[in-house]
């Protein structure tokens, strides 16, 4: 297991720890825990099966476990780590944002999005974020704390259950994709994110059995984290939030750039691509008159033209009261045209959830302001 990344922006002291959950542990450790708690080791596999294969089936449905043990086993091994505060839907019920309260009152968000060919959940890996990107609602509040693997996995299992129960418009479906693009910088909470990736990709009953190809981990460019992920055998899609091709502006837009420059970040992403065979994506929030000039598109095109990457342009979802806003349509179109002239694949991301404060952190920020 890898050690925690040393953050440029340290996590504040941990408050009361979240209760341990089977999703915090690998299958061997789950069995050891069960035995240490006085149960037979195979109970851990049975509980994992109910949690992952049956996506959080309530204890009352655990028919392979004696009825008088179900509730106590559930309370011990699958304690409720996230409590729904509220949900907001839009896009005719095809997008739903959930606000969750954790055991210590901390708030995080996840967003479930149904498309014609897939259903994706965007989850949070930290409460707040220490990366301090000035255009981002989450970054403004700083880092509250890292989430545990259990707390991250619970967001995914809750989404999978919603899909199975047919809570989204269109009836029952399966959760197919997971993106780590909610609150937080996933690679700054490396060990918990890694265990979550194992929970997601391990076959039933140890995990959800979702292909690593259907999982995207987004990072602002923590090179040591990308290098560690490269060494794991979990070929998820890597998304690098670049936001500008030049170090001068990136030092401001993505302050971690003062530690790892654009060239170092791209070199780490290239090494990841060579090891996994997975094309990586470059995330680029287009911000009016800040990073959306044609000359920056030209510089980005030259940087990427011989790389196995794909550019995702994201029309900025402005933070309330912020001076940063989305690019003009004509500037966005010119940016796309210039990149395509270099043969760089580019898409403009669909801005699902915009009408419900869809950008990371905006719903939690609004809720906290009301408390
Ligand atoms: S953009 Fe991402 S990395 Fe930057 S502050 Fe926001 S959540 Fe953190």
């Amino acid at each position: 297991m890898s050690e925690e990344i040393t953050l440029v922006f340290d996590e504040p002291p941990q408050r009361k720890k979240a209760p341990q959950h089977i999703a915090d542990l690998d299958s061997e450790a789950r069995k050891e825990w069960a035995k240490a708690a006085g149960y037979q080791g195979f109970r851990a596999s049975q509980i994992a099966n109910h949690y992952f294969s049956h996506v959080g089936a309530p204890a009352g449905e655990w028919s392979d476990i004696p009825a008088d043990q179900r509730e106590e086993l559930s309370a011990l091994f699958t304690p409720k780590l996230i409590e729904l505060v509220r949900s907001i839907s839009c896009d005719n019920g095809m997008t739903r944002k959930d606000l969750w309260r954790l055991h210590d009152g901390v708030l995080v968000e996840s967003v479930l999005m149904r498309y014609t060919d897939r259903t994706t959940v965007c989850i949070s890996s930290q409460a707040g974020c220490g990366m301090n990107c000035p255009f981002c609602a989450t970054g403004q509040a700083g880092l509250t704390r890292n989430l545990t693997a259990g707390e991250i996995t619970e967001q995914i299992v809750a989404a999978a259950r919603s899909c199975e129960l047919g809570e989204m418009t269109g009836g029952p479906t399966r959760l197919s994709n997971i993106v780590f693009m909610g609150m937080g910088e996933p690679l700054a909470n490396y060990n918990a994110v890694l265990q979550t990736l194992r929970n997601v990709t391990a076959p039933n009953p140890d995990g959800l059995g979702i292909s690593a190809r259907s999982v995207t981990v987004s990072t602002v460019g923590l090179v040591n984290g990308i290098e560690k992920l490269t060494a794991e055998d979990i070929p998820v899609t890597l998304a690098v939030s670049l936001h500008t091709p030049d170090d001068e502006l990136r030092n401001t837009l993505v302050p971690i750039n003062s530690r790892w420059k654009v060239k170092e970040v791209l070199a780490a992403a290239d090494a990841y691509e060579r090891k996994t065979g997975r094309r990586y994506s470059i995330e680029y929030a287009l911000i009016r008159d800040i990073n959306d000039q044609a000359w920056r598109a030209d510089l980005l095109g030259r940087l990427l033209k011989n790389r196995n990457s794909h550019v995702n342009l994201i029309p900025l979802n402005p933070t309330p009261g912020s001076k940063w806003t989305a690019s003009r349509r004509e500037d966005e179109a010119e940016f796309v045209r210039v990149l395509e002239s270099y043969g760089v694949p580019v898409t403009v991301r669909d801005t699902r959830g915009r009408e419900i404060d869809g950008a990371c952190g905006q719903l939690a920020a609004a809720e906290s302001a009301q408390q």
Side-chain angles (χ1 to χ4, degrees):
M1 187 70 84
S2 318
E3 81 258 7
E4 292 287 340
I5 290 174
T6 305
L7 285 172
V8 175
F9 307 92
D10 290 330
E11 182 185 17
Q14 182 90 7
R15 293 172 286 194
K16 194 169 150 246
K17 267 187 95 74
Q20 184 166 271
H21 189 286
I22 55 162
D24 292 318
L25 305 170
D26 62 29
S27 61
E28 275 314 303
R30 289 171 195 162
K31 284 183 200 143
E32 292 308 315
W33 183 22
K35 286 189 222 159
Y39 300 97
Q40 289 157 297
F42 69 86
R43 292 281 182 229
S45 303
Q46 290 175 314
I47 295 165
N49 188 38
H50 292 299
Y51 186 69
F52 291 114
S53 316
H54 305 144
V55 288
E61 296 174 15
W62 296 3
S63 55
D64 53 356
I65 292 176
D68 61 348
Q69 286 187 18
R70 291 176 197 164
E71 290 300 336
E72 69 184 50
L73 284 166
S74 169
L76 181 59
F77 295 105
T78 57
K80 199 170 162 60
L81 299 180
I82 60 172
E83 184 194 345
L84 189 63
V85 177
R86 62 187 167 115
S87 295
I88 307 176
S89 293
C90 67
D91 302 321
N92 281 329
M94 301 289 270
T95 301
R96 192 184 79 199
K97 184 164 206 167
D98 293 324
L99 181 67
W100 305 100
R101 182 178 287 112
L102 310 185
H103 76 102
D104 53 359
V106 162
L107 299 170
V108 297
E109 306 165 1
S110 61
V111 184
L112 191 53
M113 294 158 283
R114 185 166 190 172
Y115 301 89
T116 47
D117 59 341
R118 66 191 189 282
T119 303
T120 300
V121 67
C122 174
I123 50 152
S124 297
S125 56
Q126 297 182 305
C129 183
M131 296 295 124
N132 207 17
C133 306
F135 56 88
C136 162
T138 304
Q140 303 318 295
L143 176 65
T144 303
R145 69 170 172 86
N146 283 331
L147 302 196
T148 64
E151 289 167 330
I152 305 170
T153 305
E154 284 262 90
Q155 297 169 58
I156 300 167
V157 170
R161 188 149 189 84
S162 282
C163 289
E164 293 224 348
L165 293 177
E167 292 176 359
M168 301 291 282
T169 296
T173 186
R174 285 190 78 78
L175 180 69
S176 56
N177 292 67
I178 294 150
V179 296
F180 287 72
M181 289 187 181
M183 299 168 79
E185 159 55 52
L187 298 184
N189 185 15
Y190 189 85
N191 287 347
V193 167
L194 181 61
Q195 177 58 40
T196 304
L197 294 178
R198 294 194 165 126
N199 292 335
V200 168
T201 57
N204 294 161
D206 294 331
L208 289 164
I210 293 175
S211 161
R213 304 175 80 84
S214 304
V215 180
T216 300
V217 173
S218 170
T219 176
V220 278
L222 270 62
V223 166
N224 56 353
I226 297 172
E227 288 170 350
K228 284 160 68 172
L229 196 60
T230 305
E232 315 285 355
D233 200 17
I234 309 180
V236 295
T237 299
L238 183 69
V240 176
S241 298
L242 202 66
H243 301 318
T244 188
D246 56 306
D247 286 320
E248 190 182 352
L249 177 59
R250 198 165 191 269
N251 286 341
T252 305
L253 283 186
V254 186
I256 197 77
N257 197 69
S258 57
R259 180 155 170 194
W260 288 292
K261 301 296 180 202
V262 170
K263 275 193 176 147
E264 294 172 90
V265 174
L266 292 179
D270 289 341
Y272 186 85
E273 182 269 331
R274 282 194 299 275
K275 167 84 187 296
T276 60
R278 306 282 299 134
R279 181 173 78 166
Y280 58 91
S281 79
I282 296 290
E283 306 294 304
Y284 199 112
L286 277 174
I287 311 172
R288 185 181 298 187
D289 299 330
I290 300 290
N291 66 349
D292 62 353
Q293 304 85 350
W295 72 264
R296 281 202 161 89
D298 190 76
L299 185 56
L300 185 63
R302 272 186 273 147
L303 267 181
L304 298 181
K305 67 180 178 189
N306 293 320
R307 296 185 138 100
N308 189 14
S309 65
H310 165 269
V311 176
N312 225 340
L313 295 175
I314 309 156
L316 187 77
N317 192 1
T319 304
S322 164
K323 60 178 179 163
W324 315 89
T325 192
S327 297
R328 298 169 198 87
R329 286 276 165 162
E330 60 270 26
D331 293 336
E332 180 183 295
E334 178 63 4
F335 209 93
V336 170
R337 191 197 63 74
V338 172
L339 283 174
E340 286 179 339
S341 74
Y342 282 96
V344 174
V346 52
T347 45
V348 179
R349 191 196 285 170
D350 150 47
T351 49
R352 276 288 186 100
R354 175 159 288 217
E355 66 198 78
I356 50 169
D357 295 333
C360 62
Q362 292 192 8
L363 187 60
E367 182 77 14
S368 296
Q370 288 168 17
Q371 288 180 345

